[in-house]
Amino acid sequence: MTALSNFYHELWQQYISISPQALAIHHLFESEGEPLVNDHVAFRTFANSNISIDLLEDQILVLGYEYLDSYHFENKKLDARCYVHPDSPTKIFISELQWNTLSEVAQKIIKPIIQQITTSPVARLNAGRIWKIPTYRDYLTLLDESEYAAWLSVWGLRANHFTIFVNYLKKYPKLSEVVNLIQRHRYELNSVGGVIKGTEADLLIQSSTMADIVAVNFSDAGEQLISSCYYEFAQRFEQQDGTLYQGFVTNSADKIFESTHCGAKI
Ligand code: NI
């Protein structure tokens, strides 16, 4: 196994351990005889911390990835970067929360989390949560202001989602066909701004499931049901030079971020 396939194997195992829906959808496509290629995996982290993108980036570059582009999400207070690999169609998308621009209440919850993260060695991208779980009360406070902050405070460093690269599918080479299949099997899709985000003119269209809901144990509230991870589907279009567009569309990604936004609701 190469370092790259080993990296994705471990990441996928960790992901499906809290995202049974992704595994079931994966099996659904496999049972249809479809080859499964990942378009990208996405990570979330804290800016201004010992796990900022600047510090995690080395692990991505060591795998052979090259920096492609940066993105800014004003409303969600996020910055992100995308990396591409010369030998793999799977991109890496990593975003970081500018948590020191959140409210004082949120900062007060996040600061002790940041203080628990040591510099050396820098945590692995699949290290999971390397701080004590927040109280359920604090989780809900974060959720109210930043779904992203709430998710990250519980789940830590791991894949937030994997993404099926629709272009590689044989029977369902269009996102609309994938959406039909998924809906026929009664999975709930994120419908914020429409089930299909983006247009052909953007060169990238995307859909995603709503995140799985799993039970997590909190010290102050016992087991509570919260959002874990979602599965995404992406179809890309050719640029003028005939190659597939590799970047991301901030307006679409902004809405995809909402896929983990069901909070404590079932
Ligand atoms: Ni994505």
Side-chain angles (χ1 to χ4, degrees):
M1 226 183 232
T2 63
L4 188 61
S5 60
N6 195 37
F7 170 75
Y8 280 119
H9 177 75
E10 285 182 17
L11 204 60
W12 173 258
Q13 295 302 323
Q14 183 189 36
Y15 169 70
I16 58 173
S17 70
I18 59 166
S19 319
Q21 163 188 255
L23 182 61
I25 293 174
H26 193 82
H27 285 155
L28 171 65
F29 279 99
E30 273 179 347
S31 71
E32 297 270 332
E34 289 287 9
L36 286 177
V37 175
N38 285 309
D39 177 77
H40 66 273
V41 292
F43 297 91
R44 295 178 172 188
T45 192
F46 289 113
N48 304 306
S49 77
N50 288 326
I51 52 170
S52 66
I53 294 180
D54 276 342
L55 295 173
L56 294 175
E57 185 176 54
D58 275 353
Q59 291 172 57
I60 298 172
L61 301 178
V62 160
L63 290 168
Y65 276 90
E66 293 158 10
Y67 168 79
L68 180 75
D69 208 355
S70 294
Y71 308 90
H72 179 64
F73 300 88
E74 188 62 38
N75 291 341
K76 298 204 159 47
K77 300 180 165 54
L78 303 174
D79 287 299
R81 290 181 207 167
C82 166
Y83 302 84
V84 293
H85 199 287
D87 306 320
S88 168
T90 308
K91 279 72 72 185
I92 289 181
F93 180 88
I94 180 167
S95 56
E96 61 182 9
L97 178 66
Q98 299 296 344
W99 59 276
N100 49 356
T101 64
L102 296 179
S103 70
E104 290 211 353
V105 176
Q107 288 189 46
K108 242 185 200 161
I109 298 170
I110 295 173
K111 208 166 202 174
I113 288 176
I114 301 292
Q115 285 167 345
Q116 292 172 60
I117 309 169
T118 53
T119 352
S120 174
V122 173
R124 307 298 304 166
L125 279 163
N126 63 354
R129 190 188 63 246
I130 46 175
W131 49 85
K132 279 195 295 197
I133 192 167
T135 61
Y136 186 58
R137 190 194 155 113
D138 284 350
Y139 170 81
L140 291 180
T141 302
L142 289 180
L143 190 62
D144 202 36
E145 182 173 342
S146 164
E147 173 285 320
Y148 186 108
W151 187 94
L152 182 56
S153 72
V154 169
W155 299 115
L157 292 171
R158 61 190 310 143
N160 170 264
H161 59 272
F162 274 70
T163 311
I164 290 184
F165 203 158
V166 173
N167 298 58
Y168 283 81
L169 299 175
K170 294 195 173 77
K171 280 157 73 178
Y172 306 93
K174 286 188 182 155
L175 183 59
S176 55
E177 296 165 341
V178 170
V179 162
N180 283 342
L181 177 73
I182 298 295
Q183 288 181 327
R184 263 207 317 278
H185 284 81
R186 305 194 174 281
Y187 292 105
E188 192 188 348
L189 293 172
N190 170 344
S191 58
V192 178
V195 165
I196 292 181
K197 275 84 171 151
T199 65
E200 189 168 341
D202 294 324
L203 303 179
L204 168 66
I205 54 176
Q206 294 161 271
S207 292
S208 71
T209 65
M210 290 307 290
D212 264 309
I213 302 291
V214 298
V216 169
N217 202 24
F218 292 88
S219 62
D220 60 330
E223 271 199 358
Q224 296 292 333
L225 294 172
I226 67 166
S227 290
S228 59
C229 301
Y230 57 92
Y231 208 12
E232 196 172 299
F233 315 95
Q235 182 183 354
R236 294 179 181 274
F237 298 91
E238 287 181 358
Q239 309 175 99
Q240 283 190 339
D241 65 3
T243 62
L244 284 185
Y245 175 67
Q246 300 226 76
F248 290 86
V249 181
T250 46
N251 193 35
S252 302
D254 201 54
K255 298 184 178 79
I256 292 265
F257 275 119
E258 313 269 334
S259 306
T260 44
H261 204 194
C262 20
K265 288 181 245 120
I266 301 173

